[in-house]
Amino acid sequence: MAEEVREEQQGQEQEKEAAGQRKGGGAKQRPQEKRFFLRDCWEGLRCGLTPMLGKEMRGRTRGWRSPVLLTVYLGALSAFVLLFLWLNLERLSMIRPQVGLSLYSLFVFSLIMLISFIAPAVAAGAISGERERRTYDLLLVTKASIPGIVLGKWLASVVYLMFLAVAALPVFAVVFLYGGVPPAILGLAFVVCLAAGLGYGAMGLALSALTRRSQAAMIISLVLVFFFIFGIPVITGIIMASNPPGPSPQPLGQPGAAIAGPPWYIFLSPLTAFTSVLPGSGSYGQNWGIPLISELMNMLLNRMVQPEMVTTYRMGYASGYVSSGPGGVAVKPAGLTAWAPWARFTLYQGILIPVSLAAAVLAIAPRKPWPFRRAGKKNN
Amino acid sequence: MIKVRSLKKTYGRVQALRGLDMEVPAGAVYGFIGQNGAGKTTTLRILAGLLVPDGGTAEVAGLEIGSHPRALREVVGYMPDFFGVYDDLRVGEYLLFYAAAYGIRGPRAFKLRDDLLELVELGEKREAFVDTLSRGMQQRLCLARALIHDPRVLLLDEPASGLDPLARVEMREILKELSKLGKTILISSHILSELADLCTHVGMITEGRLVRQGPLAELLNGTPVQTIILRCHGPAEAAEKLLAGWPGVEVLRSLPGQVEFRLAGGAAQAAELLKELVLRGVPVTHFAQEDQSLEDTFVQLAREGGLNG
């Protein structure tokens, strides 16, 4: 009874408070609101992020599925390495110096493909899956803010994939037995993997929020990823082939040899990142990388000669730009064109992530910032 | 505790709410009754902050919907009519997940989990996977989830739908407990007998408008038509003859020595009829108003068009 009375009193007090706030107008309320705005934002993010990640990790690592999956995954990778080494060493009865490099190239290519296609496929069910499972409303009524829910869902869907990528590192270490791959390049490969996983994962999540159906979101995101990876280089190639040839590539060091670089959109494809992430695949005259990919990339990027490519060759494996060549002064690319392909791909993924997450937030927010309302489904 | 004024909501061409006015006093258990498509779920979703109304205002505990979304979430506990569960979580983990989503962590979250599982009688199922629970148990777990942040207002959309009779009784007992704890409960249901036993106040909605609301007893007694059972010593022909010509009477059933009829009006009309029966020499042994149930009231209003706008 006493509890009831206390509740009642609290209720009355709060009602009075709220009434006072309404009567008092916004001027008095604003400073307090501002003071707590950042704290509320942080609390909203935390309430979304922590439980989502915790649930995902708990669900993924529970039972027999996770150890079995990890064992099969690492077992398959190890078997692949052994097979590759057997084919290259045992059958040829000779040690080729580029074995480690070829193995590394294949590894990185497989890893980026794996992450690029699996991350959006997993994220595509993150929000629409909540709708289909009818757990969506229950999440929205909690203290978790919409950006908190979106961030939590996004990280929860890509974090396990990243865990698998890191778990493969010891297998990668085999390439160091043969030399030829500096650790910095391995780091770059992981940056590209991370960028591809996070970017395409965010895109899958946005499609999940926009389409409201997991299957549709998955199909659209896979088609888009396929287009980004393979479609863009092919389309660029076709466009370049149909254009009249520009000035011939000048030898490095010739003053005034500035030639327009490749179009910006080609760097949306992670394949272009290989030109500096995979040693040798972007070099002239040598083909230590993956034959098909490096052929295609060399064909495209050599045609749109940019000093970086020459630099990549001259520096061996490192990406970046050197300003001096054997015959004189090279033309220094300026601005974004001076960026290495991996850096430009990472930059574009960095733009894709906030744009996709913002789209997801707007799609699921009950209150939209624009007046237009879509005719909703009737609920009762 | 809940005040709704001229609430409007349209889905495409369908007007779900057409200026709904409603008031739920603090501490009340408010039964929200209406046919399918009347606008009950829409109203509850607006009050929970899940839908934005097209017009009108709604306040919960003095907080205007839309203006204070975060404060509103702390005050309101919402249980939808259809909901799902995460199949990869155990019962205890399920509650801890939502506790974390409400910003409750550490020992307090564990204590709340244990207390709430005891309240909804699922203490023994703490380590069971959520998807292995029966429908009734999942409903109770969802109710525990709605209570995890100790809200002052509970919005329950058809909490007893799909439950077997025993599970309904269990749910009703839990709601009675919550009512004793001082929670304001807004509960929509089709099972009117359940509400009659539980509610202190009732609101009847049709086509997006509230047509009746008030304390349950007032609503039941205030109906303009009453059902009366008349028993006579011997045959009841004389009584039937009188009733047939009496204004506002509709005979429902005639048995040997007994007539069941509806009489328009209140106690004064009933007294006058009884006086006339006695004056005409009808040997009346029983003349009493049948207990009016919530279901009768609802059906009566529906028949009379009171629920058709």
Side-chain angles (χ1 to χ4, degrees):
Chain A
M1 192 63 193
E3 201 171 353
E4 277 180 47
V5 173
R6 200 166 54 245
E7 287 265 351
E8 184 69 29
Q9 284 169 345
Q10 281 174 358
Q12 284 168 358
E13 277 165 22
Q14 191 157 347
E15 279 184 20
K16 277 178 194 171
E17 245 178 59
Q21 284 166 8
R22 284 194 303 278
K23 280 177 192 167
K28 277 186 180 176
Q29 182 66 7
R30 269 177 208 140
Q32 198 182 8
E33 276 179 0
K34 272 183 188 168
R35 204 179 340 143
F36 295 123
F37 177 74
L38 283 177
R39 193 196 64 183
D40 284 352
C41 285
W42 166 243
E43 184 68 11
L45 279 178
R46 201 171 69 129
C47 288
L49 208 60
T50 320
M52 289 291 167
L53 277 175
K55 185 181 88 67
E56 186 67 18
M57 285 292 97
R58 192 179 285 122
R60 292 270 183 202
T61 52
R62 165 164 285 154
W64 56 269
R65 276 184 304 177
S66 179
V68 167
L69 178 71
L70 202 60
T71 309
V72 169
Y73 167 70
L74 291 178
L77 273 179
S78 307
F80 169 72
V81 170
L82 288 175
L83 181 72
F84 186 86
L85 292 179
W86 179 73
L87 285 173
N88 275 275
L89 301 177
E90 293 291 327
R91 285 185 64 199
L92 297 174
S93 305
M94 56 183 273
I95 295 176
R96 291 192 301 152
Q98 63 270 40
V99 163
L101 197 57
S102 304
L103 186 62
Y104 168 78
S105 304
L106 264 176
F107 259 146
V108 173
F109 178 70
S110 314
L111 194 63
I112 291 182
M113 288 301 115
L114 193 79
I115 286 179
S116 296
F117 282 102
I118 295 180
V122 173
I127 290 175
S128 47
E130 294 276 347
R131 279 203 180 96
E132 287 158 7
R133 258 200 316 261
R134 292 180 175 275
T135 47
Y136 180 64
D137 283 350
L138 304 183
L139 266 185
L140 290 187
V141 295
T142 64
K143 275 173 77 179
S145 61
I146 304 282
I149 292 172
V150 167
L151 269 179
K153 283 274 153 200
W154 173 54
L155 289 178
S157 58
V158 292
V159 76
Y160 189 70
L161 211 57
M162 295 303 157
F163 164 69
L164 288 185
V166 172
L169 267 179
V171 186
F172 264 76
V174 174
V175 299
F176 293 118
L177 289 175
Y178 298 93
V181 181
I185 289 296
L186 190 67
L188 278 187
F190 267 87
V191 167
V192 171
C193 279
L194 197 69
L198 292 176
Y200 295 142
M203 189 179 74
L205 190 86
L207 287 166
S208 176
L210 289 165
T211 60
R212 293 164 176 246
R213 298 296 293 264
S214 301
Q215 216 172 359
M218 191 186 288
I219 291 168
I220 296 171
S221 56
L222 289 181
V223 167
L224 277 175
V225 168
F226 187 85
F227 174 76
F228 277 131
I229 296 177
F230 300 109
I232 284 180
V234 169
I235 287 171
T236 312
I238 292 168
I239 292 170
M240 297 306 293
S242 60
N243 285 343
S248 302
Q250 300 295 310
L252 191 69
Q254 289 273 323
I259 295 168
W264 64 270
Y265 48 83
I266 195 170
F267 294 102
L268 288 170
S269 168
L271 295 185
T272 53
F274 288 162
T275 53
S276 51
V277 172
L278 294 183
S281 63
S283 59
Y284 295 118
Q286 300 175 49
N287 192 5
W288 291 351
I290 304 153
L292 186 67
I293 303 300
S294 53
E295 282 296 322
L296 178 70
M297 286 299 103
N298 285 343
M299 199 176 74
L300 283 172
L301 295 176
N302 285 354
R303 194 180 165 80
M304 318 158 201
V305 160
Q306 57 166 353
E308 282 167 85
M309 301 310 301
V310 183
T311 307
T312 303
Y313 166 60
R314 294 197 65 78
M315 287 184 70
Y317 308 128
S319 61
Y321 176 79
V322 286
S323 59
S324 63
V329 180
V331 178
K332 188 172 183 177
L336 200 61
T337 53
W339 288 35
W342 71 267
R344 290 176 76 171
F345 171 73
T346 308
L347 171 74
Y348 291 149
Q349 292 299 99
I351 295 169
L352 180 66
I353 291 168
V355 168
S356 301
L357 295 183
V361 167
L362 288 175
I364 67 170
R367 279 179 186 272
K368 314 287 183 201
W370 56 85
F372 169 77
R373 274 196 316 276
R374 192 167 65 169
K377 195 179 146 203
K378 202 165 185 293
N379 289 297
N380 67 343
Chain B
M1 185 61 89
I2 300 176
K3 284 177 193 164
V4 173
R5 293 279 172 270
S6 309
L7 205 62
K8 290 183 184 126
K9 179 71 189 172
T10 307
Y11 299 101
R13 289 181 181 176
V14 181
Q15 269 192 296
L17 296 179
R18 308 170 180 219
L20 181 88
D21 293 295
M22 188 169 83
E23 200 154 324
V24 181
V29 181
Y30 190 100
F32 201 31
I33 303 169
Q35 293 138 316
N36 284 333
K40 302 186 296 292
T41 299
T42 301
T43 309
L44 290 184
R45 283 173 63 83
I46 288 173
L47 291 173
L50 291 169
L51 277 179
V52 182
D54 297 334
T57 57
E59 276 180 26
V60 178
L63 302 164
E64 199 170 321
I65 305 289
S67 304
H68 305 86
R70 286 187 61 78
L72 188 77
R73 288 174 190 179
E74 286 177 29
V75 171
V76 170
Y78 172 64
M79 180 175 166
D81 49 351
F82 295 106
F83 62 90
V85 289
Y86 297 112
D87 52 7
D88 54 353
L89 288 184
R90 296 177 195 276
V91 168
E93 291 167 352
Y94 179 83
L95 285 184
L96 289 177
F97 169 79
Y98 282 103
Y102 278 106
I104 305 162
R105 291 172 186 85
R108 195 181 150 219
F110 291 115
K111 188 176 182 315
L112 266 172
R113 172 198 64 186
D114 295 341
D115 289 351
L116 285 171
L117 286 179
E118 281 306 311
L119 177 75
V120 298
E121 293 166 20
L122 286 175
E124 289 175 6
K125 295 281 181 184
R126 203 178 84 178
E127 295 303 317
F129 278 97
V130 174
D131 60 342
T132 62
L133 299 182
S134 68
R135 168 87 175 153
M137 288 178 180
Q138 286 190 357
Q139 293 276 76
R140 281 185 275 151
L141 181 63
C142 191
L143 183 62
R145 178 207 56 78
L147 290 165
I148 195 88
H149 56 303
D150 194 21
R152 292 159 59 200
V153 177
L154 274 175
L155 306 174
L156 311 178
D157 198 357
E158 303 277 356
S161 69
L163 298 186
D164 59 50
L166 190 63
R168 275 182 202 167
V169 171
E170 285 170 349
M171 179 62 83
R172 193 175 60 201
E173 293 306 315
I174 293 167
L175 293 179
K176 277 183 180 171
E177 280 295 312
L178 292 173
S179 171
K180 282 180 196 163
L181 290 173
K183 308 274 183 206
T184 303
I185 305 175
L186 175 56
I187 175 171
S188 84
S189 180
H190 286 119
I191 306 154
L192 304 183
S193 54
E194 296 288 323
L195 289 182
D197 198 28
L198 185 71
C199 295
T200 56
H201 292 70
V202 172
M204 294 183 180
I205 182 176
T206 182
E207 293 177 1
R209 285 195 195 94
L210 204 73
V211 288
R212 290 277 194 286
Q213 79 166 340
L216 182 67
E218 204 175 280
L219 202 78
L220 295 181
N221 296 331
T223 48
V225 178
Q226 50 189 318
T227 303
I228 292 174
I229 296 174
L230 166 71
R231 288 197 194 109
C232 308
H233 181 67
E237 277 85 10
E240 281 175 34
K241 201 186 261 183
L242 175 69
L243 289 174
W246 195 264
V249 166
E250 182 198 345
V251 176
L252 298 174
R253 210 159 36 154
S254 287
L255 298 170
Q258 180 176 319
V259 187
E260 196 178 322
F261 62 96
R262 274 212 192 107
L263 174 66
Q269 283 74 17
E272 199 176 326
L273 176 62
L274 177 61
K275 186 178 160 192
E276 191 62 30
L277 282 166
V278 173
L279 283 175
R280 293 213 185 171
V282 177
V284 178
T285 57
H286 179 95
F287 185 94
Q289 187 182 341
E290 199 181 40
D291 281 348
Q292 189 79 1
S293 70
L294 187 58
E295 199 155 351
D296 293 334
T297 310
F298 184 73
V299 171
Q300 222 167 65
L301 280 167
R303 280 185 184 159
E304 288 160 10
L307 293 182
N308 293 318

